[in-house]
Amino acid sequence: MTNYDKMYETNDKYSLRGRVFQKLREDILSGKFKEHEELKEVAIGEELGVSRTPVREAFRQLELEGLIQIIPNKGAYVTGITAKDVKDIYMIRSLLEGLCARLATEKITKEQLEEMEENIYLADFHAQKGHLDQMAELDNRFHDILYEACDSKLLEHTLRDFHRYVLRVRQKTLATNTRGRASNDEHRQIMEAIKAGDAGLAEQLANRHMINAYDNMVKNGLKEIYGEATEEATKADTGSK
Amino acid sequence: MTNYDKMYETNDKYSLRGRVFQKLREDILSGKFKEHEELKEVAIGEELGVSRTPVREAFRQLELEGLIQIIPNKGAYVTGITAKDVKDIYMIRSLLEGLCARLATEKITKEQLEEMEENIYLADFHAQKGHLDQMAELDNRFHDILYEACDSKLLEHTLRDFHRYVLRVRQKTLATNTRGRASNDEHRQIMEAIKAGDAGLAEQLANRHMINAYDNMVKNGLKEIYGEATEEATKADTGSK
DNA sequence: CCTCGTATAATTGTATACAACCTTGCCGTT
DNA sequence: AACGGCAAGGTTGTATACAATTATACGAGG
């Protein structure tokens, strides 16, 4: 859950710790740091030109976000995502994105709805052109709009957490053009349901959207990529008891 | 979401930072620190006999758990829970506890089921006697068992976070004997559905259980207690822009 | 009497020094 | 050659010192 207010961002923007935190999160999610890689305080501090203190504090945040795992007196390691984790996240997200869409139907503002339409329109264009990077960006933004529109700081923050968490995996699997197009069609349906004020339908569609996204990932070989991460993770665990 | 592994606990148990973190969390949830109260690093450090460093790191964890809010260069303040927050949490929990019960139906172990039965049996006893403290404790434990039984570290951790978060409120509102008894009856129904292997029913019942709990809170005057927290929170926000 | 500015105190942010712990590799023993 | 202990190096944990920022109080000016 963590916190869910704006202070958070200002906090991250203007303090060294915040900048280190954001940098490291970015690097982990983008895959610059690989799974189970060790993060050393001094090395990162030197690289960013700061002392260990802000680095350590950033580590604590990363740990709470689930991106790294800190083993006392030993080190900080990038956490691995197992195939089961991804499955669980999509199960949870399916329900919560549904709830979010339902709430958004009542609370969405005119501006948000317009940005959504624009987003879908643009995504159509990029789908035709085969611009995968832009597609991914627009997909992120679509869900972000939805999160904002539900008018629940808590739900918004929770969904954002989960969304961020699977970014690493999604980058590899959404990169198929056919799914990108289908996904955008589903976005359109959700948007139309919200526009029509049909909260129940919007919920159902958002629900389904997640399930489809997951099914697609499984089809494209999620198992092969992250299937064996489980053993390594457990191995790391036993080492510290 | 935060992290969801066991290291977490060992981490908290054996390090100063961990102990400070647990102590402060305990104190906030138990109400020793009131809402919007300022937490000063040196004062807490002296009280616990540690330096500022572990206190600061504990603060970062508490912030990520949503229990305090850190305003840069200003201070750390205990976050307030608004009535809307509580409502949102129960909406989310309703879905996720349902999912949890559904999954648990497939995955629950014999030992867990037995502990559940014992829990309900004991709660019946304490309900008769009017032992409110024990009732609350057993209620916590019932849900914990369910979280463990769903066999999803992620869902377990997420639900635990939310559950912890509303503890502050629940302490005051579950303290009515009639609700305690009704709640335990609902627990029994959920348990029986799981025992019978009816995942759909278990999900529905757990779903309903949360809604009932929330409705009861509203009836018992949740609004009056936490209604005005919103203004104070926003006031605190604007001060830092 | 009120307002604004400045100086001082208090508090957090960061850097660094020291302590505790873990890892690693060498060496001696078996 | 294999095993175990011990020492040295490295890494994290904690404490403390210093810098930067913010709050407070006091006084000058209107």
Side-chain angles (χ1 to χ4, degrees):
Chain A
M1 169 163 44
T2 75
N3 75 347
Y4 51 97
D5 42 41
K6 290 165 205 153
M7 245 54 266
Y8 197 51
E9 289 141 32
T10 71
N11 198 346
D12 287 349
K13 215 176 265 177
Y14 298 123
S15 71
L16 275 188
R17 157 179 73 88
R19 287 215 298 278
V20 174
F21 172 65
Q22 287 192 321
K23 179 75 166 66
L24 291 178
R25 180 166 73 186
E26 179 92 20
D27 286 349
I28 292 174
L29 293 179
S30 75
K32 186 175 166 188
F33 293 124
K34 296 189 186 74
E35 293 193 5
H36 305 106
E37 185 170 344
E38 184 169 2
L39 268 49
K40 281 169 204 155
E41 296 174 356
V42 282
I44 288 166
E46 279 175 12
E47 190 184 322
L48 300 177
V50 299
S51 80
R52 280 177 58 212
T53 308
V55 175
R56 282 179 62 80
E57 297 194 347
F59 275 19
R60 298 306 176 269
Q61 291 190 248
L62 290 167
E63 182 185 33
L64 269 282
E65 291 241 327
L67 291 173
I68 66 174
Q69 173 180 1
I70 298 176
I71 300 179
N73 291 312
K74 191 145 176 287
Y77 303 87
V78 179
T79 55
I81 301 183
T82 68
K84 176 154 193 319
D85 286 339
V86 176
K87 184 181 177 186
D88 289 348
I89 289 176
Y90 272 86
M91 269 196 305
I92 296 171
R93 269 188 76 194
S94 172
L95 290 173
L96 296 190
E97 295 256 352
L99 172 63
C100 183
R102 194 176 78 206
L103 295 177
T105 306
E106 306 289 334
K107 299 282 192 173
I108 198 165
T109 67
K110 203 179 163 202
E111 292 78 30
Q112 288 165 335
L113 202 55
E114 273 170 12
E115 196 189 340
M116 242 186 204
E117 290 203 61
E118 192 185 316
N119 178 290
I120 293 164
Y121 183 79
L122 255 173
D124 252 343
F125 172 78
H126 287 299
Q128 278 186 325
K129 294 274 189 179
H131 297 160
L132 295 179
D133 282 358
Q134 286 92 331
M135 288 291 289
E137 196 56 49
L138 286 169
D139 180 271
N140 285 345
R141 184 60 196 147
F142 176 86
H143 285 279
D144 255 5
I145 300 169
L146 203 63
Y147 300 163
E148 287 164 17
C150 76
D151 194 40
S152 165
K153 285 267 156 66
L154 267 163
L155 183 55
E156 180 182 345
H157 194 269
T158 304
L159 277 169
R160 241 193 265 277
D161 274 352
F162 281 116
H163 189 246
R164 239 199 321 263
Y165 204 74
V166 291
L167 266 187
R168 280 182 281 184
V169 184
R170 222 212 37 183
Q171 254 179 349
K172 301 174 188 174
T173 55
L174 187 110
T176 68
N177 200 356
T178 56
R179 175 57 197 159
R181 202 170 296 208
S183 174
N184 198 44
D185 282 342
E186 290 169 18
H187 287 182
R188 182 181 292 105
Q189 288 184 305
I190 293 169
M191 187 266 290
E192 306 245 313
I194 291 174
K195 203 172 173 181
D198 191 338
L201 182 60
E203 178 170 15
Q204 251 187 308
L205 289 170
N207 235 299
R208 190 86 214 140
H209 178 51
M210 283 300 107
I211 295 171
N212 290 340
Y214 178 69
D215 285 349
N216 176 261
M217 291 177 87
V218 174
K219 267 204 208 97
N220 284 44
L222 172 67
K223 276 270 164 47
E224 285 73 25
I225 303 174
Y226 287 92
E228 75 282 16
T230 323
E231 288 85 47
E232 295 182 33
T234 45
K235 187 178 65 186
D237 274 3
T238 51
S240 73
K241 283 190 177 169
Chain B
M1 170 164 43
T2 76
N3 76 348
Y4 52 96
D5 43 42
K6 291 165 203 153
M7 244 56 266
Y8 196 53
E9 290 141 30
T10 71
N11 199 343
D12 287 349
K13 215 176 265 177
Y14 298 122
S15 70
L16 276 188
R17 158 179 72 88
R19 287 215 298 277
V20 174
F21 171 65
Q22 287 192 320
K23 177 75 164 68
L24 290 178
R25 181 166 72 187
E26 179 89 21
D27 285 349
I28 291 173
L29 293 179
S30 75
K32 186 174 165 187
F33 293 125
K34 296 190 186 72
E35 292 191 6
H36 305 107
E37 184 170 345
E38 185 170 2
L39 268 48
K40 281 168 204 154
E41 297 175 355
V42 281
I44 288 165
E46 278 174 12
E47 189 183 324
L48 300 178
V50 299
S51 82
R52 279 177 57 212
T53 308
V55 174
R56 281 179 63 80
E57 298 194 347
F59 276 19
R60 298 305 176 268
Q61 292 190 246
L62 289 167
E63 182 185 33
L64 269 282
E65 290 241 327
L67 291 173
I68 67 173
Q69 173 181 1
I70 298 176
I71 299 177
N73 292 311
K74 192 145 176 288
Y77 303 87
V78 179
T79 56
I81 301 182
T82 69
K84 175 150 193 325
D85 287 338
V86 175
K87 185 181 176 186
D88 289 348
I89 289 177
Y90 272 86
M91 268 195 306
I92 296 170
R93 271 188 76 194
S94 172
L95 290 172
L96 296 189
E97 295 256 352
L99 173 62
C100 183
R102 192 175 79 207
L103 295 177
T105 306
E106 306 289 333
K107 300 281 193 173
I108 198 165
T109 67
K110 203 180 163 199
E111 291 78 30
Q112 288 166 336
L113 201 56
E114 272 171 12
E115 196 189 341
M116 241 186 206
E117 289 204 60
E118 192 185 314
N119 179 290
I120 293 163
Y121 183 80
L122 255 173
D124 253 343
F125 172 76
H126 286 301
Q128 277 186 327
K129 293 273 189 178
H131 297 160
L132 297 180
D133 283 359
Q134 286 94 332
M135 289 292 290
E137 195 56 49
L138 286 169
D139 181 272
N140 285 346
R141 184 59 196 147
F142 177 86
H143 286 278
D144 256 5
I145 300 169
L146 204 62
Y147 300 162
E148 288 165 17
C150 76
D151 195 39
S152 165
K153 286 267 157 67
L154 267 163
L155 183 56
E156 181 181 343
H157 194 272
T158 304
L159 277 169
R160 242 193 264 277
D161 273 352
F162 281 117
H163 189 246
R164 241 201 317 264
Y165 204 73
V166 290
L167 266 186
R168 281 183 280 185
V169 185
R170 221 212 38 183
Q171 257 180 348
K172 301 174 188 173
T173 54
L174 187 110
T176 68
N177 200 355
T178 56
R179 176 57 198 160
R181 202 170 293 207
S183 174
N184 197 43
D185 284 342
E186 291 168 18
H187 287 182
R188 182 181 290 106
Q189 288 183 304
I190 293 169
M191 187 267 289
E192 306 247 314
I194 291 175
K195 203 172 172 182
D198 191 338
L201 182 61
E203 178 170 17
Q204 250 188 309
L205 289 170
N207 236 299
R208 190 85 215 137
H209 179 50
M210 283 299 109
I211 295 172
N212 290 340
Y214 178 69
D215 284 348
N216 177 260
M217 290 177 85
V218 174
K219 268 205 207 97
N220 283 46
L222 173 66
K223 278 268 162 50
E224 286 72 25
I225 302 174
Y226 287 91
E228 74 283 12
T230 322
E231 290 82 47
E232 293 182 35
T234 45
K235 186 179 64 185
D237 274 4
T238 52
S240 72
K241 280 190 180 168

